[in-house]
Amino acid sequence: MVHADRYTATPARLSRLSRRTVVAALGAVATGALLGTQRAAATPAAAPGLDDPAKKEIAMQLVSSAENSSLDWKAQYKYIEDIGDGRGYTAGIIGFCSGTGDMLDLVQLYTDRRPGNVLAPYLPALRRVDGTDSHEGLDPNFPRDWRRAAQDTAFQQAQNDERDRVYFNPSVAQGKADGLRALGQFIYYDAIVMHGDGDDPTSFRNIRGRALRSAKPPAQGGNETTYLNAFLDARVWAMKQEEAHSDTSRVDTAQRVFLRKGNLDLNTPLDWKVYGDSYHIG
């Protein structure tokens, strides 16, 4: 599995932590107080958004190709390792981390739904290590127990729900608010997965803000392709601020490929590369 691209600078922890604080705000965007909602509604009605089940499956495979070097995203429920990025254990379908709070939130949700589960005893330790790369109270059995929990459909569903709440739904909502079709919504989703949405310069909201300084999205009367190119330029800039992001192939040989082909609806077949590996969805 390739995880070397994941964010590593410790100050960027705030980006990951603040993902939860922005969910409510982006949720409001989704429900109506939207800039240019009427214009966004003018996009082709026949084209499904990224929240269409088939499109969402594509999105999961695209992210998994970059995060796990595999299209089989469902095989990642059981994944767990310390990738040496200063965030403790990284695990699950979207890279929940013991040092950034999202793993804690996930295990708490699972425990609320399934009291007495195999991970519940680790909640005190997860609270203590939040914000650090420490394994104190987790080793030696936490990885083993994570893999055991991953066999439980309730834990799998908890991972799905936290992925949607923190990453997928907010990014799709903002994409729709900006008048973007499925590709643009995916470009937002991939950015928020990697960068979070805090106040630091490389967070999703500031990548978007950087793009807005040079182009307008369709909801503001701009050209969709021009705007997405500006967003990807800003994304590449953000990635290059950290050594761990220096390989920008998930943008250069994947998202830009789709954009150059004018595939704004993210229709199959799709062919792309990440870290030199080729992928295909037919």
Side-chain angles (χ1 to χ4, degrees):
M1 295 182 182
V2 175
H3 288 84
D5 70 312
R6 295 195 65 84
Y7 29 86
T8 60
T10 300
R13 168 182 171 263
L14 294 175
S15 169
R16 192 71 184 259
L17 287 174
S18 59
R19 293 176 186 196
R20 276 124 187 99
T21 64
V22 78
V23 169
L26 286 179
V29 171
T31 56
L34 308 177
L35 178 60
T37 300
Q38 292 181 342
R39 289 198 182 203
T43 57
L50 201 67
D51 49 0
D52 172 84
K55 298 293 185 186
K56 187 174 184 178
E57 177 66 22
I58 290 170
M60 297 305 113
Q61 293 181 62
L62 288 170
V63 169
S64 186
S65 73
E67 295 287 315
N68 304 101
S69 296
S70 169
L71 297 184
D72 188 4
W73 66 270
K74 293 180 181 178
Q76 312 311 320
Y77 290 114
K78 65 180 181 296
Y79 163 73
I80 181 167
E81 68 175 319
D82 188 327
I83 61 176
D85 65 351
R87 286 166 173 78
Y89 282 116
T90 295
I93 59 171
I94 208 67
F96 303 98
C97 294
S98 61
T100 61
D102 54 356
M103 182 181 285
L104 170 60
D105 287 353
L106 169 62
V107 175
Q108 184 64 64
L109 176 64
Y110 178 40
T111 302
D112 290 344
R113 294 176 176 179
R114 183 89 79 192
N117 70 77
V118 69
L119 296 180
Y122 293 100
L123 281 170
L126 286 170
R127 294 188 186 100
R128 287 194 300 271
V129 302
D130 186 18
T132 78
D133 63 356
S134 174
H135 293 185
E136 184 179 357
L138 300 176
D139 285 345
N141 295 324
F142 184 67
R144 180 202 66 187
D145 289 338
W146 180 281
R147 289 187 286 268
R148 288 176 59 193
Q151 300 175 38
D152 183 359
T153 56
F155 187 49
Q156 295 175 14
Q157 188 59 51
Q159 289 195 39
N160 293 343
D161 291 344
E162 281 297 278
R163 172 203 62 201
D164 290 350
R165 182 180 73 88
V166 180
Y167 307 108
F168 188 81
N169 292 346
S171 55
V172 171
Q174 184 63 68
K176 288 185 176 183
D178 285 339
L180 303 177
R181 286 178 274 175
L183 175 59
Q185 293 165 31
F186 172 74
I187 286 172
Y188 275 14
Y189 174 56
D190 190 68
I192 204 170
V193 164
M194 175 180 280
H195 301 280
D197 196 39
D199 295 326
D200 58 287
T202 61
S203 68
F204 168 76
R205 72 175 66 185
N206 285 314
I207 293 172
R208 178 174 173 271
R210 191 179 183 90
L212 287 170
R213 291 197 289 272
S214 58
K216 293 181 179 180
Q220 297 181 30
N223 177 272
E224 188 167 7
T225 299
T226 300
Y227 171 73
L228 288 176
N229 271 313
F231 184 90
L232 291 177
D233 288 344
R235 170 84 188 278
V236 167
W237 173 86
M239 291 173 73
K240 289 184 175 180
Q241 302 312 298
E242 296 183 47
E243 178 61 29
H245 293 169
S246 58
D247 186 327
T248 59
S249 60
R250 67 195 289 163
V251 171
D252 302 331
T253 56
Q255 296 169 40
R256 286 212 196 264
V257 171
F258 308 146
L259 187 57
R260 282 196 299 268
K261 291 182 176 180
N263 192 358
L264 295 173
D265 294 317
L266 204 59
N267 292 325
T268 56
L270 295 169
D271 293 279
W272 73 99
K273 293 182 179 181
V274 184
Y275 312 127
D277 296 329
S278 298
Y279 299 93
H280 171 81
I281 298 175

